[in-house]
Amino acid sequence: MFKPGGLEHGGRLRAASLNYGIALADWLDLSTGIAPYGWPLPAIPASAWARLPEQQDGLEVAARDYYGVSNLLPVAGSQAAIQALPRLLRNARVGIVSPAYAEHAAAWQREGHRLLELSEGGIERALERLDVLLLVNPNNPTGRRIEPQRLLQWRARLAERGGWLIVDEAFIDCTPEHSLAGFSDRPGLIVLRSFGKFFGLAGIRLGFVLAQPAVLEWLAELLGPWTVSGPSRVVATALLQDYVGQRLQRERLLADGERLATLLSVQGLPPTGGCALFQFCCTPSAAELHEFLAAQGILTRLFTSPLSLRFGLPADEAGWQRLQLGLEAFAMECQ
C-alpha cells in the first residue's frame, strides 16, 4: 500500500546523470513509456502566447473526434485529473488493482479515502464493497490488459449503487479497439487519456477526461479556468487532426514494441507483459541489471514489488544497438 513521501517515476534523467557522473547527452533513456519520437510540429502563432486560452479554438472538437466521444474535458496532463478526482467524493471505499501507477493510490489516500489493494482475481469478490474501482488498462507497469466487456460488466454493477469505474488508458492509443472511450457516456464510467505518451510530447502536459457531463462539470469547477496553455492547445489540435501521422506513429510503435520484446527474449529476458510503448520483465537479477546498464548510461525503470524492470523504446538504430550490446555484456558478466 502507498506510503507518504516522494514517489519515484521514470524519466528522472538529471538525477541519474548526477548519480552516475554521466552527461545528460550521453544517456539512452528507456525509463519511461513515452514514445521516443513524434512528427513535425505546427507553427505556433504569436497570439497563442499573448492571449488567454479560449475553448472555441478547436481543441475540444478535434479531441472529441479523435476519441469518438461527445463529452470530454482537457486537463494539464492526466496527472491533474488523478489528483483532483478524489476530491469529488468523501469517505469512499476505493479498490485499486495493483501493481499500478503509484500516483493513483497516493491521491486517494491523501484525501482520506479507504483504499483496498486488489489483484485482478480479487475484483469480483470485492466489487460489492467498493464505491470506486480504479485500474490502469493496459496496466503500468505490467502491460496487462483487461477486455472491455469485462470492464463494462464491473461498471454496470458499480453504477447500480452510484459507484464509479475509473480506467486510466494512458497507454491504449496503439490499440484503440480496446478502449472504453466510446462507452464513457454511461453512468459511473470515467476514462482518463494521456496525450503526451502516444504523441511523444510529455512536456506538453495535456490529457483528457471522458465521462458524463455532470462529472466533467464538477471537475472543471474544481480545476478552474485555463488549465491547458494556448501553445499546447495549438499543437494538440493539429496532431489530433493528423490522421495520417497517427496511423504511421501507431504502426511504428507497434512494430518497435514487438522488436523490443524479441530482443529481450533473445537475451534471456522474455517479457512478462508489455504493450507497444514498453516491455515488462520480472527477473531475480532486475536490480543488478538495472545498475549494470545505468553504469553504461542506459536508464531503465526498476520495480521492487514485484522485482522487475520496465524497458521503454529506443529512439533510433544506434539506441537499439546500444541496448543489445549492454544486455549481451551483462549476460557475459553473469556467466
Side-chain angles (χ1 to χ4, degrees):
M1 190 58 67
F2 169 75
K3 297 180 181 179
L7 297 181
E8 293 291 332
H9 299 284
R12 300 177 70 246
L13 197 57
R14 292 185 184 276
S17 176
L18 292 172
N19 188 38
Y20 291 94
I22 300 173
L24 283 172
D26 295 332
W27 281 90
L28 172 61
D29 185 7
L30 307 179
S31 67
T32 76
I34 299 164
Y37 39 70
W39 55 92
L41 302 181
I44 299 176
S47 59
W49 299 100
R51 299 177 56 84
L52 288 171
E54 296 185 274
Q55 293 184 353
Q56 292 77 23
D57 61 1
L59 173 62
E60 282 79 1
V61 173
R64 287 196 293 266
D65 288 344
Y66 176 80
Y67 294 116
V69 301
S70 300
N71 304 293
L72 55 74
L73 177 69
V75 292
S78 52
Q79 181 65 39
I82 288 170
Q83 293 186 223
L85 282 170
R87 298 173 61 187
L88 299 181
L89 299 177
R90 291 290 178 267
N91 301 317
R93 294 162 296 180
V94 182
I96 298 183
V97 182
S98 180
Y101 180 55
E103 290 286 352
H104 285 292
W108 287 91
Q109 189 172 47
R110 190 180 299 120
E111 298 302 322
H113 299 285
R114 290 166 285 170
L115 269 61
L116 179 62
E117 188 175 5
L118 299 172
S119 66
E120 183 181 332
I123 294 174
E124 289 287 345
R125 295 189 302 274
L127 203 59
E128 299 305 321
R129 295 182 283 133
L130 299 179
D131 301 303
V132 176
L133 174 63
L134 192 153
L135 54 90
V136 185
N137 200 47
N139 188 39
N140 174 22
T142 67
R144 166 69 180 163
R145 190 179 67 235
I146 303 174
E147 292 305 314
Q149 195 56 44
R150 193 175 179 201
L151 296 173
L152 290 172
Q153 290 171 357
W154 292 340
R155 178 217 65 87
R157 290 171 59 185
L158 287 161
E160 287 175 355
R161 298 178 287 103
W164 287 353
L165 171 65
I166 302 176
V167 184
D168 181 347
E169 294 186 340
F171 297 97
I172 211 164
D173 290 72
C174 285
T175 52
E177 65 274 15
H178 297 293
S179 173
L180 292 189
F183 303 96
S184 59
D185 59 344
R186 298 188 181 186
L189 179 59
I190 300 173
V191 177
L192 308 182
R193 295 295 292 262
S194 169
F195 178 85
K197 292 180 177 63
F198 172 74
F199 289 96
L201 293 171
I204 207 169
R205 303 313 307 135
L206 176 64
F208 296 91
V209 183
L210 321 179
Q212 288 196 308
V215 174
L216 300 179
E217 289 169 8
W218 297 338
L219 194 56
E221 184 176 353
L222 178 62
L223 293 172
W226 312 306
T227 59
V228 178
S229 73
S232 295
R233 294 179 67 94
V234 170
V235 171
T237 300
L239 268 62
L240 288 167
Q241 294 173 329
D242 184 0
Y243 298 114
V244 173
Q246 293 162 20
R247 177 178 56 80
L248 294 174
Q249 179 81 335
R250 189 169 293 114
E251 290 173 354
R252 183 178 181 184
L253 288 171
L254 286 167
D256 280 354
E258 291 182 5
R259 180 180 180 181
L260 180 58
T262 299
L263 172 60
L264 292 169
S265 296
V266 169
Q267 297 300 325
L269 288 168
T272 312
C275 63
L277 287 163
F278 63 82
Q279 295 296 321
F280 178 71
C281 299
C282 289
T283 172
S285 60
E288 291 81 5
L289 178 55
H290 172 79
E291 184 67 24
F292 182 88
L293 292 175
Q296 300 183 48
I298 302 174
L299 188 61
T300 58
R301 180 71 194 281
L302 175 66
F303 297 89
T304 58
S305 181
L307 188 58
S308 53
L309 285 178
R310 190 187 65 194
F311 293 82
L313 300 176
D316 52 31
E317 195 59 34
W320 284 102
Q321 296 303 317
R322 188 173 172 187
L323 174 60
Q324 180 176 337
L325 291 173
L327 293 172
E328 289 175 350
F330 180 76
M332 288 289 292
E333 185 168 286
C334 292
Q335 286 182 353

